[in-house]
Amino acid sequence: MQPYLKLDHIDKTFTRGNASTEVLKDINLTIERGEYVSIIGHSGCGKSTLLNIVAGLTSATTGGVLLENREVNSPGPDRAVVFQNHSLLPWLTVYENVKLGVDKVFASSKSRSERDAWVMHNLNLVQMAHAKDKRPSEISGGMKQRVGIARALAMEPKVLLLDEPFGALDALTRAHLQDSVMALHQKLGNTILMITHDVDEAVLLSDRIVMMTNGPSARIGEILDVPLARPRKRLELATNAVYLKCRQRVLEFLYERHRFVEAA
Amino acid sequence: MNMPVMKTEAATAVLATNAAPVVTMTPKRPPRADKYLKMAKETAVRVVPPLIVLAFLMLVWELVCRRAGSTLPPPSRVYTETRELIFHPFFDNGGIDKGLFWHLSASLQRVAFGYSLAAVVGIGLGTLVGQSVWAMRGLDPIFQVLRTIPPLAWLPLSLAAFRDGHPSAIFVIFITSIWPIIINTAVGIRNIPQDYRNVAAVVQLSPLEFFWKIMIPAAAPYIFTGLRIGIGLSWLAIVAAEMLIGGVGIGFFIWDAWNSSHISEIILALFYVGIIGFVLDRLIAGLARIVTHGTALN
């Protein structure tokens, strides 16, 4: 069977003048439909670059991305991104921000009233329908990120790309939002690729964790299966042996074998 | 008269269903007089200090210019000499012998033409320079030189080109106000966060949709800064330009008054020019606040 999403021998080298830095080296990864895969690594290891390559916002130097056997090398709504800093347009309301994508993706396939209902449906999924007429500056950071998720979901992406989606949030809000994303994944069965630097988050949410070595020339160091049954409950997992073992493995990888070397 | 009765009814209904003590809250609305008093206070705080300063300055002016042999008239004489003009702004005796309203409206029309043209062309060119590195490399140095040319220096050239005062004045307004609009628009476009561009790329907006839905709103605060500087410069330039081209217009009115030694009329005209310049500036600032939902600086 052909893989759903395939990252095929991706290298990425940034060149500025005569100096060139190899950021990513020989990245191979296949992701099945409905899978939740996290990429974890120290900052500067190129994990965001990798996500941008999948999103089509950056192009790989060699190698490529195959989605359902077709090469994708430009951005598109089939790989919607939830950005780290929400990236809502401040001059549009919550509703209009989600509608921007919906109007483009479903321009011909849905009528005006269907599109309106679809926007509201997605705002309801993230429990933000009550704030539809507010502007981003009037809602909290967690709410903005919810809207960002609704905007991405509303485009019905084949793969949902999350770029450290909870990085800028406080711990309580983050936990709440992680639960929401888990519930959405359970309900909608999206294929999700998430960048994170939070070990607990990776273990809690993912089916597989891709651990990256330190850059330059970062590679995939290890891929860890997380054989925890879903739905997962944060509190029960705290004492679960499998959970703790997975967590241990990731911590060992990050802090023993691939310690972050501070740039001098 | 009905209100209290209804309120007690509602209260008893709640009491009956909940069987719990309900405290009825009578909304405390401040009496209307209080509200007006507060508004009046706020207005007074803003209006009274400048009025006091103004009165003081007028007094100094009056005292300084009252002496015999003074070259400039005191405010009292300005008023008596220009009362006709103040109270009859709409007379029209043909030629350039018109009321101040007609002079001001002629000047405003020229500014409206030249400035609107500058706004459209300026935002267009600014977008081009902000968006394309090659356009910036090619055009920016030229703009930087051209923008230092004083407005009136363009007038002889435009008179030579158009062979008529009216389009020449409009051209001078255009060329004066376009530079800050171009430069600020370009800076605004260049400063659009990469995040917004990424969003547009993921959603796959077409270039035209990107222009209207992302670029213009994202750069709006900068664009309006340019527009505000531009309208100020236009109004500065029109008076000078009209002095030279003649005809109906507040600039030539001032020049004509000087030639006929009507110093009081000059002072009255300056007063109007100042007030209108202020109103134009506030107009653009207000427009900016409406369009950008308060994100533009004023």
Side-chain angles (χ1 to χ4, degrees):
Chain A
M1 197 188 119
Q2 293 290 338
Y4 189 61
L5 176 70
K6 184 171 184 182
L7 316 191
D8 196 7
H9 295 94
I10 289 177
D11 291 340
K12 177 69 189 177
T13 308
F14 283 112
T15 315
R16 179 181 284 173
N18 292 327
S20 64
T21 334
E22 189 174 46
V23 181
L24 297 170
K25 189 169 173 57
D26 201 28
I27 304 289
N28 285 293
L29 182 66
T30 57
I31 296 171
E32 298 305 327
R33 184 191 276 271
E35 214 178 0
Y36 196 128
V37 175
S38 294
I39 298 176
I40 196 166
H42 291 290
S43 74
C45 75
K47 51 191 193 299
S48 281
T49 308
L50 185 59
L51 187 101
N52 281 342
I53 290 173
V54 178
L57 296 168
T58 310
S59 58
T61 309
T62 58
V65 180
L66 295 164
L67 179 59
E68 289 186 316
N69 268 329
R70 231 174 269 157
E71 186 177 10
V72 283
N73 48 19
S74 61
D78 55 342
R79 283 152 293 130
V81 187
V82 176
F83 298 93
Q84 178 173 11
N85 55 354
H86 66 78
S87 295
L88 299 180
L89 304 176
W91 55 88
L92 297 181
T93 62
V94 162
Y95 174 85
E96 288 163 342
N97 262 290
V98 179
K99 189 134 191 296
L100 184 72
V102 170
D103 278 349
K104 274 305 275 186
V105 177
F106 303 105
S108 51
S109 56
K110 278 184 171 36
S111 72
R112 181 181 283 268
S113 61
E114 279 172 336
R115 290 201 296 263
D116 170 71
W118 180 243
V119 171
M120 289 316 293
H121 170 73
N122 280 282
L123 282 174
N124 271 317
L125 280 180
V126 296
Q127 293 123 42
M128 284 302 297
H130 62 90
K132 75 183 185 75
D133 293 322
K134 293 213 163 109
R135 286 181 202 283
S137 58
E138 297 165 337
I139 59 179
S140 71
M143 289 176 165
K144 283 180 204 164
Q145 203 51 282
R146 283 177 186 277
V147 179
I149 293 169
R151 176 173 64 185
L153 282 176
M155 293 185 237
E156 280 197 327
K158 290 177 178 159
V159 184
L160 186 60
L161 303 172
L162 309 179
D163 186 3
E164 294 190 29
F166 317 120
L169 304 175
D170 66 89
L172 293 175
T173 311
R174 186 186 308 170
H176 196 53
L177 220 56
Q178 285 166 350
D179 291 342
S180 296
V181 167
M182 248 193 306
L184 285 171
H185 179 232
Q186 190 77 18
K187 186 173 172 185
L188 306 172
N190 305 84
T191 311
I192 300 180
L193 182 61
M194 177 175 80
I195 301 290
T196 183
H197 51 225
D198 181 330
V199 177
D200 289 296
E201 178 175 293
V203 179
L204 175 69
L205 295 174
S206 321
D207 296 316
R208 277 192 298 156
I209 302 173
V210 175
M211 292 172 255
M212 307 242 331
T213 66
N214 285 331
S217 303
R219 292 169 294 104
I220 293 178
E222 194 180 326
I223 299 179
L224 177 73
D225 275 308
V226 184
L228 289 166
R230 291 181 188 271
R232 298 170 181 173
K233 293 255 163 48
R234 180 183 302 276
L235 282 175
E236 292 165 16
L237 287 179
T239 53
N240 182 311
V242 180
Y243 175 84
L244 292 174
K245 211 171 131 197
C246 289
R247 193 168 174 274
Q248 186 68 23
R249 280 284 292 277
V250 180
L251 286 171
E252 272 171 18
F253 179 91
L254 289 177
Y255 297 106
E256 274 184 20
R257 281 183 282 156
H258 296 278
R259 282 164 72 88
F260 181 55
V261 189
E262 201 80 49
Chain B
M1 285 299 110
N2 267 337
M3 284 302 282
V5 181
M6 282 171 65
K7 209 166 273 164
T8 45
E9 272 175 11
T12 46
V14 173
L15 268 170
T17 48
N18 281 0
V22 174
V23 184
T24 42
M25 304 267 281
T26 37
K28 253 192 190 161
R29 200 190 288 156
R32 193 155 285 181
D34 265 16
K35 213 171 93 190
Y36 285 134
L37 200 70
K38 209 176 147 202
M39 265 169 65
K41 242 183 207 164
E42 278 166 9
T43 319
V45 164
R46 290 175 59 170
V47 171
V48 171
L51 281 182
I52 291 172
V53 174
L54 195 66
F56 175 74
L57 289 177
M58 294 285 251
L59 189 72
V60 173
W61 177 12
E62 180 76 37
L63 290 177
V64 169
C65 295
R66 211 170 194 172
R67 291 167 302 142
S70 157
T71 50
L72 296 178
S76 54
R77 219 171 81 213
V78 170
Y79 176 71
T80 47
E81 285 181 3
T82 59
R83 213 164 39 186
E84 274 300 295
L85 284 168
I86 295 172
F87 292 113
H88 300 102
F90 298 109
F91 75 85
D92 185 352
N93 297 339
I96 59 161
D97 188 12
K98 293 180 197 298
L100 271 172
F101 172 83
W102 301 110
H103 287 287
L104 286 167
S105 101
S107 298
L108 278 172
Q109 269 173 36
R110 291 189 182 113
V111 167
F113 264 119
Y115 178 74
S116 309
L117 207 61
V120 173
V121 177
I123 292 173
L125 277 176
T127 307
L128 182 70
V129 171
Q131 184 67 3
S132 146
V133 177
W134 280 105
M136 188 186 74
R137 286 180 188 160
L139 292 171
D140 195 55
I142 297 171
F143 290 165
Q144 296 299 339
V145 173
L146 289 182
R147 79 189 177 91
T148 62
I149 297 174
L152 280 192
W154 290 101
L155 190 62
L157 190 68
S158 54
L159 278 171
F162 295 114
R163 310 209 164 262
D164 184 13
H166 187 64
S168 301
I170 290 174
F171 176 77
V172 168
I173 298 305
F174 169 80
I175 206 77
T176 308
S177 54
I178 195 169
W179 308 117
I181 300 175
I182 292 178
I183 290 166
N184 280 283
T185 305
V187 171
I189 300 284
R190 232 172 285 150
N191 282 348
I192 295 175
Q194 186 60 39
D195 295 335
Y196 299 168
R197 294 179 187 274
N198 286 349
V199 169
V202 169
V203 176
Q204 287 182 333
L205 294 181
S206 69
L208 199 67
E209 285 170 321
F210 182 66
F211 178 77
W212 283 115
K213 292 187 174 172
I214 310 282
M215 270 187 172
I216 292 295
Y222 291 88
I223 294 175
F224 273 106
T225 304
L227 288 175
R228 265 184 87 183
I229 300 171
I231 195 82
L233 290 181
S234 312
W235 194 236
L236 291 183
I238 189 65
V239 174
E242 282 175 349
M243 282 187 179
L244 294 179
I245 61 164
V248 179
I250 194 68
F252 189 69
F253 176 85
I254 294 174
W255 194 243
D256 194 39
W258 158 243
N259 283 333
S260 5
S261 299
H262 291 152
I263 308 299
S264 297
E265 288 182 8
I266 297 179
I267 293 170
L268 179 71
L270 291 190
F271 173 77
Y272 277 128
V273 168
I275 293 290
I276 288 178
F278 175 76
V279 169
L280 287 177
D281 183 66
R282 298 317 303 170
L283 217 63
I284 302 291
L287 192 68
R289 205 166 320 137
I290 294 167
V291 172
T292 62
H293 306 290
T295 52
L297 303 168
N298 34 254

